[in-house]
Amino acid sequence: MQEEAKEAEGWRQILGDGRWALFLLVLGGIWLHASDSLVVATVMPAVVESLGGIAWTPWAFALYELGSIVAGAMGGLASLRLGLGRSLAGFAFAFAIGCLASAAAPDMATLLAGRLLQGVGGGALIALSHVAVTKGFSERHWTRLFALISGVWGLSSLAGPLIGGLFAEAGWWRGAFLIFALKGLLVAAAAPWLLRRVKSSGGDFGASRVPWRSLALLSLGVISILLAGVVDALLLGICLILFGLVLLVLMLRVDGREISSLLPQRALRLPGAARDGLAMVLCLAVATVAFLIYGPLLLIEFYGMGALMAGYFVAFESIAWTLAALAVGRVKPDGEGPFLRIGALTILIGLLGIAVFLPIGPVWALLPWVGMQGAGFGMAYAFIVRRVVKAAPEAERDHAAGAVATVQMLGYAVGAAIAGIAANSFGIGLEESSYELEPVAHAVFLSLLPFALIGLFAAYKLAAGEKTVITTSHRVEP
């Protein structure tokens, strides 16, 4: 009878006693991060027209992802030391200041600095908003609340391009950043008050240190690869790429000796699903980021499309992700394998389709391929997470779950850098006529094809896996 009473609880009971205000705050934090990329993707062509610096376009996305990774490593420690309310307010304020910097930017360098600060704020808002749910609500309500949070991500796919498109077509792209700055300030002002009853759980500061060395090597590695896309000398560009890759490999070695590492080191050293799953996420994230960065610009240049419609072309990928994830939501573990393989193959085919049809049209023929990129990730993502977590040692399972998102953000940052190198190598930083952009459109997407192939290979290994059983007898060294 008690269980039936719990199941019968409605939203009035779940959100009663003022908890509705807390949950609105959580949704506000999620919204800021979820809609950011689509808003920025929609207004970036107008930003480039106003400020110049088209060759630096990938940096606007890569720096945001880097900031989010840094914030993910800092958020937990900030919550322990400052309390959830003050931590969330501080990061929301950082997000708002980043938006204000971008809105007032007189040049591309200032806008990029603002984007980095937005990434730090937005990435932490995601982590802390999830913490607020687990601390502010009963465990039996978490599933329903997180389902509603997922709906906010889907809504952002529709609202993000609308906001960005309206401001871009009105000739005031700065207004899009100002609107988000205002929302960030509202979250910052409300957080301490709404979270005043949510107590910090305390914790061991020594076990929650920020892995500064890992973060520094990661950031320098990605920035080195990004720099390769904006230098004129071919030899220097190659050296920067190689130097960046060396730094990323060194980061993995250093991270293994950190007290609080970015990635689950035991899982990475062992063969099997944990390593294959993270490799699959990394490579497919690299392979799918180019349309977010260059899609609106190329659609506007090739077809004279308005910013609003170009934004919705990009949003279609996110919508397809959501629909595919819902469609496979009831698949049982023994039926996951085919969806892992089909998902990676779908992304590969979608990438090839975009590379072929984006420059030559017709424009409506592009939608299925864009949808395939999103649907492929959507049908596989939850299964990747489950297999990575299951394969990780018992002591690292929570860490492994968080590492999937970290690796995905890293993939987007690296993918942005590689796409920028391909675009700039074919002259996108020069005169922007349709004739000049046609080889760019081919090069940007085909340059990421090897990563899609590696991701497909990892998917086949992951689908055939779960033969390696990792038990709790594996000790994780502190």
Side-chain angles (χ1 to χ4, degrees), residues 34 38 146-159 314-330 370-382 408 412:
L38 288 172
F146 282 124
L148 188 56
I149 286 174
S150 298
V152 172
W153 283 89
L155 182 62
S156 72
S157 300
L158 300 174
V314 175
F316 186 65
E317 183 174 339
S318 298
I319 295 169
W321 177 316
T322 301
L323 293 176
L326 292 174
V328 301
R330 295 183 179 273
V370 174
M372 289 178 77
Q373 279 203 151
F377 234 141
M379 73 174 68
Y381 192 82
Q408 184 182 4
Y412 288 146

Side-chain angles (χ1 to χ4, degrees), residues 95-107 110-115 117-118 173-174 177-178 181:
F95 179 88
I97 295 300
C99 290
L100 288 173
S102 296
D107 50 41
T110 306
L111 184 133
L112 293 178
R115 288 295 292 157
L117 195 53
Q118 289 170 51
W173 59 265
R174 299 178 189 274
F177 289 105
L178 287 174

Side-chain angles (χ1 to χ4, degrees), residues 102-463:
S102 296
D107 50 41
M108 185 62 78
T110 306
L111 184 133
L112 293 178
R115 288 295 292 157
L116 178 61
L117 195 53
Q118 289 170 51
V120 171
L125 285 175
I126 289 292
L128 293 174
S129 294
H130 282 74
V131 172
V133 170
T134 60
K135 289 183 178 295
F137 296 89
S138 172
E139 183 175 353
R140 66 180 183 273
H141 299 145
W142 291 354
T143 300
R144 295 175 70 178
L145 293 171
F146 282 124
L148 188 56
I149 286 174
S150 298
V152 172
W153 283 89
L155 182 62
S156 72
S157 300
L158 300 174
L162 177 62
I163 296 171
L166 290 177
F167 279 103
E169 293 188 355
W172 191 42
W173 59 265
R174 299 178 189 274
F177 289 105
L178 287 174
I179 288 293
F180 273 78
L182 177 60
K183 293 176 181 178
L185 291 173
L186 288 174
V187 171
W193 178 64
L194 293 177
L195 294 174
R196 66 191 185 280
R197 297 180 182 177
V198 181
K199 297 180 180 179
S200 176
S201 61
D204 180 4
F205 294 158
S208 303
R209 296 175 185 170
V210 175
W212 292 115
R213 293 184 301 171
S214 299
L215 290 172
L217 289 169
L218 171 67
S219 300
L220 290 173
V222 174
I223 290 173
S224 179
I225 298 173
L226 280 167
L227 283 171
V230 292
V231 297
D232 294 329
L234 176 61
L235 180 59
L236 177 59
I238 294 173
C239 291
L240 285 169
I241 294 172
L242 294 176
F243 181 62
L245 293 175
V246 169
L247 288 177
L248 292 178
V249 172
L250 182 60
M251 182 273 293
L252 292 176
R253 295 181 61 87
V254 170
D255 194 50
R257 296 192 290 270
E258 296 279 9
I259 294 176
S260 295
S261 59
L262 284 174
L263 301 175
Q265 295 300 316
R266 169 71 73 174
L268 288 175
R269 287 195 294 268
L270 290 173
R275 190 171 61 187
D276 294 337
L278 292 175
M280 180 180 175
V281 168
L282 176 67
C283 292
L284 294 184
V286 171
T288 56
V289 74
F291 192 70
L292 175 68
I293 300 171
Y294 289 108
L297 172 68
L298 294 172
L299 288 170
I300 291 170
E301 291 294 331
F302 282 133
Y303 305 105
M305 189 178 289
L308 180 60
M309 184 58 67
Y312 275 116
F313 260 76
V314 175
F316 186 65
E317 183 174 339
S318 298
I319 295 169
W321 177 316
T322 301
L323 293 176
L326 292 174
V328 301
R330 295 183 179 273
V331 173
K332 296 181 179 179
D334 58 359
E336 293 173 359
F339 288 100
L340 290 168
R341 294 188 290 266
I342 294 171
L345 182 61
T346 300
I347 289 173
L348 174 63
I349 296 172
L351 181 63
L352 284 171
I354 294 172
V356 171
F357 284 97
L358 180 56
I360 65 174
V363 67
W364 57 264
L366 189 62
L367 277 176
W369 311 109
V370 174
M372 289 178 77
Q373 279 203 151
F377 234 141
M379 73 174 68
Y381 192 82
F383 305 144
I384 298 172
V385 175
R386 193 197 70 79
R387 293 200 174 199
V388 167
V389 172
K390 183 178 178 181
E394 187 72 30
E396 286 200 355
R397 288 190 171 180
D398 289 344
H399 198 184
V404 176
T406 300
V407 168
Q408 184 182 4
M409 288 187 287
L410 174 60
Y412 288 146
V414 173
I418 294 171
I421 293 170
N424 298 332
S425 297
F426 279 80
I428 197 171
L430 305 175
E431 185 180 355
E432 298 143 31
S433 66
S434 295
Y435 176 79
E436 293 290 342
L437 286 176
E438 186 170 340
V440 170
H442 291 303
V444 163
F445 298 100
L446 291 178
S447 68
L448 303 179
L449 185 61
F451 294 92
L453 290 169
I454 298 172
L456 179 61
F457 175 72
Y460 269 81
K461 290 187 65 179
L462 183 61

